[in-house]
Amino acid sequence: MNTSTNSCIVPTFEDSNRYLASAVVYGLVLVVGLPLNTLSLWILLRSHGCRSPCAVLMVNLAVSDLLLALSLPLRVHYYATLHWPFGPATCTGAIMLFRINIRTSSIFITLISVDRLIALVFPLRSRSLRTSACAFKCCAVVWILIICLCIPEIMRLFNSLKQCSEIIPCFENQSRSENSKVFPISQAVFLLILLLVNIASTVVVIIVLKKRPSAGAAKVNNKMNVILIFVVNMLVFMIFFLPFTIQLLMPNENKAQVLRVLICLASVNCCLDPLIYYFSLDSFWQDKGKRQTDVGTYSLSRSMDRS
């Protein structure tokens, strides 16, 4: 490694296989995630619109994943060539798109679980709360809050990268530019709280469904789909967000390689989020004119099936 400043430690070609592996992973995520999220967003807007709170939340989740996928070509280029010709501003933007995706995705996934939980447990009393307008307001607050909280982080990262006058080590040694422990620890605690909310929602749903009598095969199949909604949400958290969260609580020394691996892993979440859309919205792949209301699933699909 060659060193100019503490935040300008640049990679050499001695570990080129590791960087090439990162380029391959990001390339695969790009090839799968970009068309999949583009298709999902198109289906959500065309077939479901924004007529229900769940659809509104999923549209915002798809937008967040799509923004991450659009930044991946820059990561592929950097790890394939170990060269960054685009300047510190572009590097800062690409890094922050990933961080914003982690934060917004975790919030939107949790909101989807909470929305589904309320729809199942309180299908009638929640009608005034579970509206598209309310979901739009919640999503707007999430985006504004996350972007505002990221502004100091953006400034620190940009100023750190500006010190690298000759070679910009974009995406590498990102943790070295973070002098304060407050923000990483706060983010880790917040993500852990969201994980607990998802776990609690899953447990409550399983208990509620067990207490409700089954009435035929259709009813049982619907119960399984409902459980899958929460299980998929919880697994996304545990597999993709939890390792990255634990890393935030670790000391900075000697964790650059671990950070690189965990960022690759967290990026894969944008390829699996469409599973959430599939299990959460009844008849996800059908045109809105062909969908029919199922009395047995009224509490979960009434908002989707009303024209």
Side-chain angles (χ1 to χ4, degrees):
M1 295 284 182
N2 298 323
T3 306
S4 57
T5 67
N6 191 40
S7 61
C8 296
I9 300 178
V10 299
T12 65
F13 288 93
E14 296 175 0
D15 296 327
S16 58
N17 289 335
R18 296 178 182 177
Y19 298 119
L20 183 60
S22 297
V24 171
V25 171
Y26 287 125
L28 292 174
V29 174
L30 174 64
V31 170
V32 176
L34 183 58
L36 198 57
N37 281 284
T38 302
L39 177 63
S40 297
L41 183 60
W42 179 76
I43 292 174
L44 285 168
L45 294 174
R46 177 180 178 274
S47 299
H48 299 276
C50 295
R51 302 186 310 275
S52 71
C54 190
V56 172
L57 294 172
M58 290 179 187
V59 166
N60 281 270
L61 179 60
V63 170
S64 177
D65 289 337
L66 193 58
L67 290 176
L68 172 63
L70 291 174
S71 72
L72 292 181
L74 297 174
R75 289 183 179 266
V76 173
H77 175 273
Y78 175 77
Y79 283 115
T81 64
L82 295 183
H83 176 60
W84 184 261
F86 306 114
T90 305
C91 178
T92 302
I95 292 174
M96 292 310 302
L97 279 177
F98 166 79
R99 299 185 185 184
I100 290 174
N101 171 260
I102 292 293
R103 294 156 190 170
T104 55
S105 292
S106 60
I107 295 175
F108 290 138
I109 288 173
T110 304
L111 290 176
I112 290 170
S113 292
V114 172
D115 173 75
R116 300 288 81 188
L117 174 65
I118 295 175
L120 177 66
V121 180
F122 308 107
L124 297 178
R125 283 180 286 177
S126 63
R127 294 183 65 178
S128 60
L129 177 64
R130 295 184 60 254
T131 63
S132 298
C134 183
F136 272 117
K137 293 176 183 178
C138 289
C139 292
V141 169
V142 170
W143 283 109
I144 293 172
L145 182 62
I146 293 298
I147 292 174
C148 289
L149 291 176
C150 286
I151 291 177
E153 194 176 3
I154 292 172
M155 298 303 297
R156 287 197 303 268
L157 183 59
F158 177 73
N159 291 331
S160 175
L161 291 171
K162 277 202 309 183
Q163 299 175 11
C164 310
S165 56
E166 297 181 359
I167 301 177
I168 298 177
C170 192
F171 308 120
E172 282 299 300
N173 303 301
Q174 297 174 29
S175 60
R176 296 178 182 272
S177 62
E178 303 290 345
N179 296 322
S180 174
K181 293 287 187 179
V182 176
F183 197 88
I185 292 176
S186 300
Q187 177 177 332
V189 172
F190 181 67
L191 288 175
L192 289 174
I193 292 174
L194 294 181
L195 173 60
L196 292 177
V197 172
N198 280 272
I199 294 175
S201 299
T202 304
V203 173
V204 170
V205 165
I206 293 175
I207 294 175
V208 170
L209 290 179
K210 278 188 176 181
K211 291 182 178 180
R212 292 189 178 182
S214 299
K219 185 83 172 185
V220 174
N221 290 336
N222 177 65
K223 284 186 176 182
M224 183 58 64
N225 286 339
V226 172
I227 294 174
L228 283 174
I229 296 171
F230 294 88
V231 170
V232 169
N233 287 358
M234 188 173 61
L235 288 178
V236 167
F237 252 91
M238 297 183 70
I239 296 174
F240 302 110
F241 297 156
L242 184 60
F244 183 75
T245 302
I246 294 175
Q247 173 271 146
L248 294 175
L249 301 176
M250 295 171 57
N252 282 341
E253 291 77 11
N254 301 320
K255 72 170 185 177
Q257 295 181 7
V258 176
L259 179 62
R260 188 186 312 119
V261 172
L262 294 180
I263 290 177
C264 283
L265 179 63
S267 300
V268 179
N269 87 88
C270 74
C271 298
L272 298 183
D273 282 346
L275 288 176
I276 299 175
Y277 316 145
Y278 180 81
F279 288 117
S280 297
L281 293 179
D282 294 334
S283 305
F284 175 73
W285 299 103
Q286 296 182 17
D287 184 76
K288 60 183 178 182
K290 298 179 180 180
R291 295 199 302 273
Q292 297 179 351
T293 302
D294 183 353
V295 175
T297 62
Y298 176 76
S299 62
L300 285 176
S301 62
R302 59 182 173 77
S303 297
M304 308 301 157
D305 297 328
R306 294 173 62 185
S307 56

